Amino acid sequence: MEKLFYCSKLDMTIGKICCIGAGYVGGPTCAIIAHNCPSIQVTVVDLSEERIAQWNSDRLPIFEPGLDDIVKGCRGKNLFFSTDVKKEIVEADLIFICVNTPTKNYGVGKGRAADLKYIESAARMIATVSTKSKIVVEKSTVPVKAAESIANILKANVKPGVKYQILSNPEFLAEGTAVKDLLQPDRVLIGGDQTPEGHEAIQALCWVYGHWVSKDRIITMNTWSSELSKLAANAFLAQRISSINAMSAICESTGADVTEVAHAVGMDTRIGNKFLKASVGFGGSCFQKDVLNLVYLCECLNLPEVAEYWQQVININDYQRRRFANKIIESLFNTVTNKNIAIFGFAFKKDTGDTRESAAIYICKYLMDEGAKLHIYDPKVEEKQLITELTHPAISDDPSRVKELVTIHKDPYEAANNTHALVVCTEWDEFINYDYEKIYGSMLKPAFLFDGRIILDHQKLMGLGFNVITIGKRLQRPNVHRPYAQAPAQ
Ligand code: UDX
Ligand code: UDX
């Protein structure tokens, strides 16, 4: 049996881990810890009985390649899912806080600041029930200095003999590749107090990750650097996408091809080729939220120029989604009212059923605003989830209209049948190999195809008869000789 890590300053060994929040981050992270640390007991707790029941069933609440096998391999042995939040907190030596931190939709900082109410309630719960010392790890992405708030809540309610250490350990996994990202992370980041107690707590968490991550990939620093690094990493990634999407608009006006530009730019090893794929816009639960959070932080720190700089990353993303929708409307002779439009893909990226902030939501909104009839197909997104997104008050003020305009299909060929246009919003691999001849045959003519992810074989599709429109490239019909690019529209 492995010797567990002993923290002399807190007088405890790390034998039990509890994670508050069984979401996209908490669930996979704890499954990987349990898988790699058989001597540690890991329990994931959540307020939602439905979520916990799903984690305990054969159908996990999230789709993530490779996750089923890992969960099934250790569930019931050293991995548990429970709604008994108090009991698990009491027993735990180390607690991960993995609750969601959405953008605030009310009050001060509305639309930009992160809502920390769930983090605060987790901290208060820990303070109320704990009877022994603990290491509390904030994994949820938070504004800089959130660890200080957690520490203040814990310290103000501390019981005699109980000590706390707060660490920041942001998660960098991306959805769809969570298992791989967790098993082979680029780096694990751990921030803590620069005191002997803080260093020992950092070492305890390093020991947990050290079961499967090599030492040189585990970096430690002060808490504020760690918190800011997470926001910075997401802001840099989002900024690359907005940069290439801004280039895509120039490409469409000049005759340059954004894929070629990205290739040429990315071959510079100083720049690198990742995250340079132009698209209909980035989505997901993190990029927009974290950049807005950064903008808000800059405003609070009285750094308006810096705030404006990062805000532009969001503005370009909004612009890209709007631009793509406008292009659909313009191409369909400036009206889509009552036209049937197939939407291929609703998830914010491939290999996930997650729809949070998906560009598809906005494309559908803009088309619904114009009265288009949408026929949506996504390989993984549940119908209930899709309707929840489209009937959200920010997207539609009349749920009955969504019902009237939207049909959800289980088969892509059915979705495309009898439509005027087909719009690719997510880069699912299966879209590439569909029988587009059959699809073309079943559509109204002229048949339009809008590739918002630049994944299809455009020349082939045009050869079949489609009018193809994509991002960052003006397509020319095959066999039509046009030696010079057109002058930009005035
Ligand atoms: C992650 C990160 O943790 C977060 O920082 C980031 O901002 C968004 O992505 P994620 O795991 O994707 O969060 O969130 P979600 O899937 O919504 O899961 C959070 C879970 O916490 C939910 O299951 C929710 O029921 C649970 N929760 C929330 C609690 O158990 N207690 C609470 O008080 C609040
Ligand atoms: C992101 C970060 O990558 C991850 O490190 C962090 O922990 C959480 O936020 P995630 O949102 O799951 O992960 O997915 P990601 O692969 O980063 O994609 C985000 C969005 O950007 C998707 O909508 C994706 O389609 C889009 N994207 C990505 C592009 O449009 N172009 C690209 O080149 C890359």
Side-chain angles (χ1 to χ4, degrees):
M1 196 69 181
E2 181 196 19
K3 196 165 169 275
L4 298 174
F5 188 96
Y6 176 66
C7 297
S8 59
K9 306 214 163 28
L10 296 177
D11 190 22
M12 64 168 193
T13 45
I14 308 293
K16 284 193 177 181
I17 291 180
C18 168
C19 170
I20 308 177
Y24 285 89
V25 170
T29 306
C30 286
I32 298 295
I33 294 177
H35 173 74
N36 287 291
C37 309
S39 52
I40 301 178
Q41 182 181 314
V42 184
T43 307
V44 189
V45 297
D46 202 292
L47 291 177
S48 161
E49 285 185 11
E50 188 191 352
R51 233 183 206 196
I52 291 300
Q54 287 172 321
W55 279 110
N56 281 320
S57 75
D58 282 342
R59 202 176 147 86
L60 302 184
I62 61 172
F63 168 70
E64 216 31 270
L67 184 62
D68 279 34
D69 288 345
I70 296 207
V71 170
K72 282 172 193 159
C74 38
R75 196 170 55 192
K77 292 182 189 143
N78 68 329
L79 176 65
F80 301 91
F81 296 92
S82 165
T83 48
D84 199 344
V85 182
K86 283 186 191 162
K87 172 179 169 278
E88 296 305 332
I89 291 178
V90 169
E91 291 183 4
D93 307 303
L94 187 148
I95 300 174
F96 284 108
I97 301 184
C98 286
V99 297
N100 41 335
T101 48
T103 304
K104 257 184 108 174
N105 58 6
Y106 57 89
V108 177
K110 180 180 171 184
R112 286 167 307 159
D115 194 339
L116 297 183
K117 68 180 175 205
Y118 301 128
I119 299 259
E120 178 171 343
S121 76
R124 285 190 187 278
M125 169 82 88
I126 296 169
T128 311
V129 304
S130 296
T131 49
K132 61 174 190 175
S133 299
K134 293 183 197 303
I135 297 174
V136 177
V137 185
E138 83 185 354
K139 202 166 238 320
S140 302
T141 307
V142 288
V144 182
K145 296 254 167 187
E148 198 167 76
S149 311
I150 297 177
N152 286 339
I153 291 170
L154 294 176
K155 279 173 193 156
N157 295 284
V158 75
K159 296 197 183 72
V162 177
K163 289 186 208 155
Y164 295 107
Q165 275 301 315
I166 322 295
L167 300 178
S168 157
N169 170 221
E171 186 46 66
F172 294 105
L173 69 82
E175 286 176 35
T177 53
V179 170
K180 185 182 146 285
D181 295 342
L182 285 162
L183 286 174
Q184 296 143 18
D186 282 350
R187 79 303 207 184
V188 167
L189 175 56
I190 304 173
D193 278 359
Q194 299 303 299
T195 58
E197 294 79 11
H199 284 138
E200 191 184 51
I202 291 174
Q203 285 317 310
L205 192 53
C206 287
W207 170 77
V208 173
Y209 282 108
H211 283 78
W212 76 99
V213 182
S214 67
K215 266 200 178 121
D216 58 321
R217 290 194 180 264
I218 305 179
I219 49 178
T220 64
M221 55 186 65
N222 82 40
T223 318
W224 328 132
S225 300
S226 170
E227 289 177 334
L228 183 59
S229 298
K230 168 70 197 222
L231 291 184
N234 273 351
F236 276 48
L237 290 169
Q239 181 215 44
R240 283 175 73 96
I241 302 169
S242 279
S243 296
I244 199 71
N245 281 344
M247 286 297 160
S248 78
I250 304 177
C251 289
E252 288 161 35
S253 301
T254 57
D257 177 341
V258 76
T259 308
E260 291 176 352
V261 174
H263 180 60
V265 170
M267 276 188 71
D268 186 325
T269 52
R270 293 169 303 175
I271 297 172
N273 60 9
K274 294 190 180 143
F275 271 71
L276 282 185
K277 197 148 176 44
S279 67
V280 58
F282 60 73
S285 70
C286 291
F287 282 176
Q288 172 160 316
K289 171 173 73 72
D290 291 351
V291 177
L292 287 172
N293 196 339
L294 188 63
V295 169
Y296 185 66
L297 176 75
C298 297
E299 284 172 2
C300 294
L301 297 172
N302 198 19
L303 301 169
E305 290 82 359
V306 188
E308 205 181 317
Y309 174 76
W310 289 110
Q311 177 63 44
Q312 206 52 31
V313 170
I314 299 295
N315 295 353
I316 287 288
N317 201 47
D318 294 346
Y319 164 77
Q320 186 77 347
R321 296 188 298 222
R322 183 84 244 185
R323 210 168 68 80
F324 188 64
N326 285 351
K327 220 189 242 195
I328 297 171
I329 298 161
E330 278 163 27
S331 306
L332 295 176
F333 316 106
N334 281 318
T335 174
V336 291
T337 314
N338 286 326
K339 283 186 178 159
N340 290 316
I341 300 182
I343 304 286
F344 276 12
F346 198 80
F348 80 97
K349 62 188 270 196
K350 72 173 181 178
D351 294 340
T352 176
D354 193 355
T355 57
R356 289 178 289 182
E357 287 302 327
S358 177
I361 301 171
Y362 296 88
I363 302 304
C364 289
K365 173 190 162 42
Y366 298 141
L367 295 175
M368 284 193 300
D369 287 348
E370 297 288 328
K373 292 185 176 158
L374 305 181
H375 297 265
I376 308 177
Y377 168 76
D378 187 283
K380 279 283 171 224
V381 176
E382 308 274 348
E383 176 161 350
K384 192 174 143 211
Q385 176 62 22
L386 210 153
I387 294 297
T388 305
E389 292 286 15
L390 292 181
T391 50
H392 190 279
I395 300 302
S396 164
D397 41 25
D398 180 5
S400 68
R401 191 155 161 78
V402 173
K403 223 172 174 184
E404 194 186 303
L405 294 176
V406 174
T407 314
I408 296 163
H409 295 265
K410 294 210 172 347
D411 177 82
Y413 296 93
E414 231 175 65
N417 187 35
N418 225 14
T419 56
H420 295 83
L422 196 167
V423 182
V424 175
C425 287
T426 312
E427 74 281 25
W428 284 101
D429 290 336
E430 66 173 63
F431 295 167
I432 299 168
N433 298 316
Y434 285 170
D435 180 348
Y436 283 96
E437 195 168 353
K438 181 173 160 190
I439 290 178
Y440 180 76
S442 75
M443 288 174 67
L444 299 169
K445 308 294 176 324
F448 286 83
L449 194 152
F450 299 89
D451 182 359
R453 293 289 186 162
I454 329 180
I455 52 166
L456 303 182
D457 183 341
H458 301 140
Q459 293 303 321
K460 193 171 153 200
L461 291 168
M462 286 191 293
L464 292 175
F466 278 107
N467 287 293
V468 183
I469 289 107
T470 190
I471 304 261
K473 186 181 185 179
R474 266 202 243 138
L475 291 166
Q476 295 171 0
R477 288 209 150 268
N479 306 324
V480 179
H481 182 63
R482 278 197 228 153
Y484 303 108
Q486 286 165 11
Q490 294 302 306

